[in-house]
Amino acid sequence: MEKVEETLEEYQYIRVLESGRRFMEIMNKYRCAIMEVETKLNVLNSEFSLQYDRNPFESIKTRLKSPRSIIEKLRRRGFSLADGNVEELVEENLYDVAGVRVICAFQEDIYRLADLLLQQDDIRLIRTKDYIKNPKPNGYRSLHLILEVPVFLEKGKTPVKIEVQFRTIAMDFWASVDHKLRYKKNVEDEEKIVEKLRQCAETISTLDDEMQRIRNMIEAGGERHVKD
Ligand code: 0O2
């Protein structure tokens, strides 16, 4: 019974948020922050491909958190939505309303790109979670940066928080399979699947290291060839 009431309440909040002007305004700020960061990454990609004849990332995915996920996350964190200050709660406590995911072929490119982004003087680093150097117990690997970027609106410059996740293609493949498991209810043999996924994460990490080594060998060979 309690679950039904909660869901109904959540549903009402979601409806209110979707139609509220203030909520639309903050969502627009997050949307603009995504555009800013995506442009910065595309500029780096373009310069890189000119200078080194290759692209530092394979693709970029962006997403704006839905009102439903926003409400669920605030609830999970124990915030009361009853005071009607959802917009303030979001701005002060949720750092991943705006999300950008950068998929690279090689691990070294992840750190290079992250550094290049952080060197830009209009970007402020709020927090780093390096799940590549310190993987989660289930095997999840990615580099997460919470950044603050300026968005230039009609009323002036506004700093906006955004989460940027960097992964290799292999890590992204793993995370998408894991994501399916996390959102599926009543999965048979769940423990076995979780353990298999953890083992796969290890294999993927070894594969990423090997691919990096091969690229380093190819690049070293290329340099020798130029000198000869
Ligand atoms: P979605 O739909 O991908 O956005 P924070 O909000 O950063 O203070 P949180 O949420 O614990 O606290 O942050 P964390 O650990 O940095 O993880 C946030 C996001 O990383 C998740 O977003 C996922 O995208 C991804 N992630 C983290 N752990 C895992 C994992 O074990 N498996 C997979 N597949 N993805 C993971 P959301 O909000 O869960 O969902």
Side-chain angles (χ1 to χ4, degrees):
M1 188 62 197
E2 202 188 315
K3 183 74 199 138
V4 174
E5 277 170 13
E6 228 175 62
T7 310
L8 188 64
E9 198 191 333
E10 271 178 21
Y11 178 80
Q12 283 162 347
Y13 276 120
I14 290 162
R15 291 282 85 82
V16 169
L17 286 183
E18 278 172 349
S19 59
R21 177 144 194 89
R22 169 101 179 90
F23 186 71
M24 301 278 207
E25 276 172 11
I26 69 162
M27 290 310 270
N28 188 49
K29 275 194 321 194
Y30 289 117
R31 200 174 292 116
C32 295
I34 289 177
M35 290 191 252
E36 294 281 350
V37 171
E38 202 176 1
T39 303
K40 282 175 178 294
L41 287 161
N42 282 326
V43 168
L44 288 172
N45 206 26
S46 164
E47 199 203 347
F48 233 77
S49 48
L50 260 184
Q51 223 165 337
Y52 303 105
D53 207 17
R54 67 181 175 83
N55 296 321
F57 60 81
E58 296 292 315
S59 61
I60 302 181
K61 296 173 193 166
T62 64
R63 74 107 183 83
L64 202 56
K65 221 173 180 61
S66 69
R68 181 172 297 280
S69 306
I70 289 175
I71 296 291
E72 279 167 7
K73 193 157 190 173
L74 287 173
R75 270 200 186 284
R76 265 201 318 276
R77 295 260 180 100
F79 292 107
S80 158
L81 307 173
D83 306 337
N85 60 346
V86 176
E87 288 83 1
E88 256 171 56
L89 285 177
V90 171
E91 290 199 293
E92 284 167 18
N93 302 289
L94 295 194
Y95 295 170
D96 66 340
V97 176
V100 174
R101 188 170 290 154
V102 188
I103 318 290
C104 301
F106 301 99
Q107 276 186 47
E108 275 181 21
D109 288 338
I110 290 179
Y111 291 102
R112 193 136 174 210
L113 263 178
D115 273 350
L116 287 171
L117 205 55
L118 292 174
Q119 277 168 26
Q120 302 192 1
D121 62 10
D122 55 348
I123 283 193
R124 193 160 82 88
L125 176 65
I126 306 288
R127 192 181 71 195
T128 304
K129 279 192 191 172
D130 191 341
Y131 294 124
I132 299 176
K133 295 207 168 91
N134 306 296
K136 282 192 160 184
N138 63 352
Y140 176 76
R141 285 169 170 79
S142 281
L143 173 68
H144 293 190
L145 303 181
I146 304 291
L147 307 175
E148 199 172 70
V149 292
V151 168
F152 294 86
L153 300 169
E154 202 183 348
K155 37 181 181 202
K157 185 163 101 173
T158 317
V160 182
K161 292 193 182 65
I162 181 164
E163 181 182 72
V164 188
Q165 299 182 348
F166 295 87
R167 299 174 177 167
T168 61
I169 300 168
M171 289 171 195
D172 190 50
F173 175 41
W174 184 95
S176 67
V177 176
D178 176 70
H179 193 265
K180 285 197 180 86
L181 174 77
R182 289 203 298 155
Y183 288 94
K184 242 191 162 100
K185 289 191 181 92
N186 308 320
V187 179
E188 258 182 60
D189 289 333
E190 187 168 348
E191 263 177 43
K192 221 193 236 168
I193 297 173
V194 167
E195 178 49 25
K196 278 208 169 294
L197 269 172
R198 205 194 50 72
Q199 287 168 9
C200 276
E202 293 294 323
T203 311
I204 276 171
S205 171
T206 311
L207 178 78
D208 273 338
D209 288 345
E210 274 303 305
M211 295 305 265
Q212 182 67 55
R213 239 170 260 136
I214 292 170
R215 193 187 75 182
N216 293 349
M217 283 165 72
I218 294 172
E219 289 198 338
E223 272 167 29
R224 261 204 310 277
H225 187 70
V226 170
K227 277 184 204 148
D228 294 346

